[in-house]
Each structure stands twice: as structure tokens, then as C-alpha cells.
Amino acid sequence: MSTTSPAAGLPAPDQSARLRDALLAAEFTADGLLDLLGAPAYAALARSETVPALRATRGDSPLETLVRLFLLQQTVPYERASAALPLDEALADGWVVKDGDGVRATVDVRPYGGPEGQDWFIVSDLGCAVGGAGGASGREEGVVLGVGGASTTLAGITVRTPVSSALDVGTGSGIQALHATQHATRVTATDLNPRALAFTRLTLALSGAPEADLREGSLFAPVESETYDLIVSNPPFVISPGARLTYRDGGMGGDDLCRSLVQQSGERLNEGGFAQFLANWQHVEGEDWQERVRSWVPRGCDAWIVQREVQDVTQYAELWLRDSGDHRTAPEEYAAQYDAWLDEFEARGTKAVGFGWITLRKSGAEEPSIVVEEWPHPVEQPLGETVRAHFERQDYLRTHDDAALLAEAFVLAPEVMQEQVGLPGAEDPEHVVLRQNRGMRRATKVDHVGAGFAGVCDGTLSAGRILDAIAQLVAEDPVLLRDRTPQAIRLLVEEGFLEPVSARG
């Protein structure tokens, strides 16, 4: 049951089903937009450039009307709106209002394709969806953002196994809660901003998704001691002076909000449950950033922390000054704001800021697996299955010593290719690289033994028997080869190049 009431001035979800039917009938969907606008205008809209989309919607079809109304936030003639919408209901519920001889939208409605082809809609404040008419700047306190790169990244890395309960902390416009309704029996969404909860209600209703339990409050306060199988959060992680924008700064100094979120999540996870976050963390002078973030991991949890990007403090300040529209102020005001950001970083000893993903899994292991790495390279989304498999491999390696590895049979993972690197015409390559073409798209160097071993792993022979055969081929002592190879096998398993047959069932 929801513990908050709809925010004043926002649409009511009463007639959402009729509005949804009208949007679908007009093909106001992600695919329909691409077909109407064409790739260049569609891409320009994602960059907040609206002129190509305006040119592409000069006709009078219902789809063109809806794009102008909800995405470009133009006033459209009453007759055109009436042809595209159940207009009386849309006016009564507050989705649109009269504006002279026409109507205009009160909220931004963005088509959003679900992972299994669902036609969903994300509802947010005007101009606050990527591709909305206002772009990504000019934010005000209390504003609710729509879908963007961060929210789709988190949705893509989230483990999607069926669960009984899921919690979306800081739900915003409800994107993560919407995804969770597809595989969780019960979904709870919290936010400090009551407008965000109202927008989440609209997003779920207009997308035809089940309702969620909406609760107002900061971080885990609204759920007290309740526990969940899945916790997700795209928090207001930006490290900034003053913490003046709730949607961005979260009201805590430095990276304290992200640290608190991670540390407090452990006691609210059920055994085997996952908690997944996006986060920023400080790179502090004289401190190892990996140890800083590692210290956040709560007791009883395995963790996989991936740093995707690092910006020096000047790049970081400029990025978020542009986001909030401060670059459009008078030069002296902008300079003062910029100076305040650098003062904040200097006071904290911060030389750079990292951005990445944090995934926890409640394992209860006495010796938890905590992997912290930097991976700025391209990956293939969605990664939810890759994340789940990572923790399964950690379980396997934790319970198998070297002797058990040698007794195991392995299969080379799908989509792994071998590259030989060396000078043209050379008899032997300088080294061999195994490369994944899926998931994290990792690459690792192996010697001739490692390459030969991986190449014959088809699940029929144990690792020990394969090494004995290789030892005979290269005239090497099989005992010495068995002694030195398990470490390399362990690495290939940990990074997903080899799959143990016993773990595959």
C-alpha cells in the first residue's frame, strides 16, 4: 500500500489505460519514433536538438501530433489533439491543458522499449527526459528527470532472475521500478521527493505495469528493517558543493551518500539477494581508490565493483555546471560557481572522481569475494546475466582447490576468439590473446600451453588429462606442468573464458 498521495498539479492515473491505448494506436512507441523521424533526427533528439524532429513532424498524423505534444512540448491545435487522444479524459486528468486555441502537455511522456519488446512510457517533468524539448539543463529543486544514459545503464546491468521482492531506492520517474515489476512479485519504490513517487505511479500506470508500493523518505528510512531479494538504485551521486539539487546531489558531502547506500544495503538483503547501484567515488591524494570503495562493502556480501570512467576535478565540475545550466549565467557568476567546486575538491583532497557500477550479493561467506577493477572499454548490454554468472564463478572458485580444478572438465565459453600477435613472417607468435565478443568483452594473454589447453576444452576430458597430453607434445615434465597451470586456469574461469562442466549442471 502506498504511503504517499499524488503530488498536486500532476496528472491523475485514472484514465491511463485509455490514454495508453491511444498512444499505441498512433504507434507512439520507440520503434514508431525511429520510423517517423529517421535515424539522424532521432539521434539529434537524444542530444536535445529538436529542429530535425520539428521538421519531421509537420504533418497532421496522430503520431506527429503526439511527438510535438509530449516530446517537443509544442502547443498543438485542439482538433489535432482530439484526433490523437481521448482529449476530454486527458484534459480532466491533467495530462494536457488548454492553451489558447490548442492544448499543451503538462508532463513529458517518452516511449521506452522494454527488454522483451514491451511498449512502455516514462513520465517526467517537462524538458527533463533525454530528448525532451528543454534538454538536460536548467534544473530546479524538486524536478523529476526522465530516462537517460545512467538509468538505462543500471537497467541493463541488473540481474533479472525472478524474485519475491525488489526495492528501488530513489526511484525518480520509476524506470527501475518498472523493470522490476516484470520479475518481482512485490516491488517497493522510495524517494525523498513526493513528486517523484507521483511520477512513478504515472509511469507504471501508463506502461500497463502492476502497481508498486510507493514510500516517501530518504534512502532506507521508509522501509525500516524490511529485507529484499533485489535492491537497485540510481542515486543522486554527484559530488558537489552545497548539495543544492536533490535530484543530483543527495544532500550529503563528498561520496558519503554512495558509501551510506552501499553500507546500509547489506542488512536489508535476503540471503542470495543482489544490490546494484551506480555511484561516484573520490580519488583522494595519497589514497588508493580501490581500497576506498572496497571499504564500503558490508559484512557477509560478495562484491563486484567496476570503475567505468575517471574525470579530473575540472572536467567533472564543468560537466555538472553544464547540466544545471550554470554555464548560461553571467561570466562572473559561472566563474564563482566553478571556483566553489574547486574549493570543495581542494578541501577534501580530491584529485579526480570515478564513476562506475557496484554490485553486492549476500553470500554469508566467511571469506567474501570482493573484485574491484577498472574497465573503461566497450561492453555489450544487457549485462544482467553476465553479472549473475560472475558471482556463480566466484562461488565455484571459492570451493575448488587446485586438485579439484585439475579433476574438472571445462568448456570454452561461446564467442571466444583466438588472436595471434607477432611480426609478419615470424615462425611463432609473440603471444596469443583470447578475446570475448560478448558481455564484458574481455581479452587476456595466454602462453602456448594456455592457448592449446583452451582450444581443446570441450567438456570431455579433465584439465589434468589435457595437461598430461600437452606435456607429452611439448616434452615437458607433466608434474611440473600440473603444478604451474592451475593459477592460469583459475584466471580463465574467473574472467569467464572457461566454464566448468559441473557448474553447468
Side-chain angles (χ1 to χ4, degrees), residues 401-419:
D401 59 16
D402 288 354
L405 285 181
L406 292 176
E408 177 72 80
F410 296 93
V411 174
L412 189 66
E415 304 293 334
V416 173
M417 304 296 292
Q418 176 178 303
E419 301 174 1

Side-chain angles (χ1 to χ4, degrees), residues 413-451:
E415 304 293 334
V416 173
M417 304 296 292
Q418 176 178 303
E419 301 174 1
Q420 295 187 349
V421 181
L423 294 174
E427 184 174 347
D428 296 310
E430 293 180 14
H431 58 264
V432 176
V433 174
L434 298 182
R435 186 178 302 278
Q436 301 169 351
N437 289 321
R438 305 295 299 272
M440 293 294 285
R441 294 178 173 168
R442 296 187 185 277
T444 188
K445 290 182 182 179
V446 293
D447 59 16
H448 65 286
V449 172

Side-chain angles (χ1 to χ4, degrees), residues 116-442:
E116 297 179 2
Q118 302 98 326
D119 289 315
W120 288 340
F121 302 95
I122 310 301
V123 188
S124 65
D125 271 314
L126 292 172
C128 290
V130 173
S137 61
R139 306 299 193 210
E140 297 177 356
E141 178 63 23
V143 76
V144 177
L145 305 188
V147 64
S151 50
T152 56
T153 294
L154 178 58
I157 68 172
T158 300
V159 176
R160 297 296 175 193
T161 52
V163 294
S164 296
S165 58
L167 171 65
D168 178 13
V169 180
T171 187
S173 53
I175 299 157
Q176 309 309 322
L178 175 59
H179 278 276
T181 61
Q182 304 304 295
H183 64 102
T185 304
R186 175 173 60 90
V187 176
T188 303
T190 70
D191 205 290
L192 183 62
N193 182 1
R195 283 174 54 80
L197 299 175
F199 274 115
T200 294
R201 182 181 289 107
L202 294 173
T203 289
L204 296 177
L206 195 56
S207 298
E211 294 182 359
D213 180 3
L214 307 178
R215 305 188 191 183
E216 181 180 342
S218 178
L219 299 182
F220 294 106
V223 301
E224 298 179 342
S225 60
E226 295 176 39
T227 59
Y228 299 86
D229 301 314
L230 173 68
I231 299 172
V232 293
S233 182
N234 176 20
F237 51 66
V238 179
I239 301 169
S240 63
R244 62 190 178 92
L245 298 175
T246 301
Y247 83 89
R248 186 187 72 179
D249 310 308
M252 295 188 188
D255 51 18
D256 286 351
L257 184 139
C258 293
R259 175 183 55 78
S260 299
L261 186 63
V262 174
Q263 289 179 337
Q264 294 174 21
S265 63
E267 62 188 8
R268 291 171 175 84
L269 273 179
N270 293 327
E271 197 70 22
F274 286 90
Q276 299 187 260
F277 316 102
L278 301 186
N280 273 182
W281 43 78
Q282 298 172 116
H283 286 227
V284 177
E285 196 72 41
E287 178 183 272
D288 184 340
W289 74 266
Q290 294 193 355
E291 290 305 313
R292 180 184 189 87
V293 185
R294 183 186 296 269
S295 71
W296 297 357
V297 178
R299 184 183 301 274
C301 289
D302 295 336
W304 185 18
I305 301 169
V306 182
Q307 180 167 273
R308 295 287 290 156
E309 183 181 1
V310 181
Q311 290 186 325
D312 67 49
V313 292
T314 60
Q315 293 174 309
Y316 190 80
E318 291 162 13
L319 169 66
W320 293 107
L321 285 168
R322 287 193 302 271
D323 175 84
S324 60
D326 289 316
H327 65 304
R328 296 175 178 172
T329 61
E332 61 274 11
E333 294 180 25
Y334 175 75
Q337 289 280 358
Y338 199 151
D339 207 35
W341 281 73
L342 297 185
D343 282 344
E344 175 80 5
F345 289 132
E346 184 177 345
R348 294 181 177 276
T350 304
K351 59 182 180 178
V353 178
F355 166 81
W357 317 326
I358 297 177
T359 299
L360 308 177
R361 197 268 309 259
K362 188 74 169 284
S363 66
E366 292 184 8
E367 297 183 7
S369 164
I370 302 178
V371 176
V372 185
E373 62 176 325
E374 187 163 11
W375 192 256
H377 312 294
V379 298
E380 182 188 49
Q381 287 274 33
L383 280 169
E385 180 59 23
T386 298
V387 172
R388 185 199 60 77
H390 166 88
F391 287 95
E392 285 196 348
R393 293 194 297 269
Q394 299 304 315
D395 282 343
Y396 174 85
L397 292 171
R398 188 160 42 207
T399 56
H400 286 70
D401 59 16
D402 288 354
L405 285 181
L406 292 176
E408 177 72 80
F410 296 93
V411 174
L412 189 66
E415 304 293 334
V416 173
M417 304 296 292
Q418 176 178 303
E419 301 174 1
Q420 295 187 349
V421 181
L423 294 174
E427 184 174 347
D428 296 310
E430 293 180 14
H431 58 264
V432 176
V433 174
L434 298 182
R435 186 178 302 278
Q436 301 169 351
N437 289 321
R438 305 295 299 272
M440 293 294 285
R441 294 178 173 168
R442 296 187 185 277

